[in-house]
Amino acid sequence: MTTSLKITLVAACALVDKDNRVLVAQRPEGKALAGLWEFPGGKVEAGERPEETLIRELDEELGITVKEACLAPLTFASYPYETFHLLMPLWICRRWEGVIVQKEHKALQWLRPARLRDIPMPPADEPLIPALIDLLGP
């Protein structure tokens, strides 16, 4: 069965600290899926490569500078929401410049990969967790 859902490409990044914890950000009130925890990133704009999207979004959302060479592709999620189909590649980043600042999200937290299952996340983010556990350990 085919559907006519538009595909939306969203690039996401798992920022990983020296203790192998992953940064998650809580979606702010007034946005779709408000209150859920997600990996930082955003919608890929026309003419933009996903890596460029991440560099832009991580600066806008968290105030950090990421070099493309520090982004490593890990996995992706493909999820049919009611009004669009989300395709979301996930990159890993262990190196950035600057101090992470909460600019757009309601809250930020660092979690061990297995703990990601304990927080409410958008359905498209949940399939990304096993790859993070495989890479970083629980």
Side-chain angles (χ1 to χ4, degrees):
M1 181 169 127
T2 59
T3 63
S4 60
L5 290 179
K6 178 179 179 253
I7 292 178
T8 300
L9 180 60
V10 171
C13 187
L15 293 167
V16 180
D17 71 5
K18 61 181 175 47
D19 297 321
N20 278 347
R21 295 178 306 166
V22 177
L23 183 74
V24 286
Q26 191 174 31
R27 293 184 61 82
E29 299 304 320
K31 284 207 170 181
L33 306 172
L36 298 183
W37 293 88
E38 66 182 0
F39 301 105
K43 192 181 294 186
V44 177
E45 302 293 341
E48 196 175 47
R49 292 182 301 111
E51 295 87 348
E52 293 169 327
T53 299
L54 283 180
I55 290 166
R56 175 179 55 77
E57 290 282 350
L58 293 170
D59 178 44
E60 290 174 5
E61 293 180 2
L62 303 172
I64 59 172
T65 301
V66 173
K67 291 184 171 59
E68 188 168 336
C70 296
L71 294 170
L74 178 64
T75 189
F76 73 96
S78 179
Y79 188 83
Y81 282 101
E82 196 171 311
T83 57
F84 66 96
H85 190 99
L86 181 72
L87 183 61
M88 184 167 58
L90 178 71
W91 278 261
I92 294 286
C93 179
R94 292 179 181 269
R95 295 185 63 174
W96 56 86
E97 296 172 12
V99 176
I100 292 174
V101 178
Q102 178 184 321
K103 293 172 100 177
E104 295 185 4
H105 293 91
K106 186 175 177 183
L108 302 172
Q109 65 176 325
W110 293 94
L111 293 175
R112 299 282 306 153
R115 291 276 330 277
L116 295 170
R117 291 188 170 125
D118 299 337
I119 58 172
M121 297 184 91
D125 288 57
E126 292 173 3
L128 303 172
I129 296 171
L132 288 167
I133 292 171
D134 287 347
L135 179 72
L136 303 171

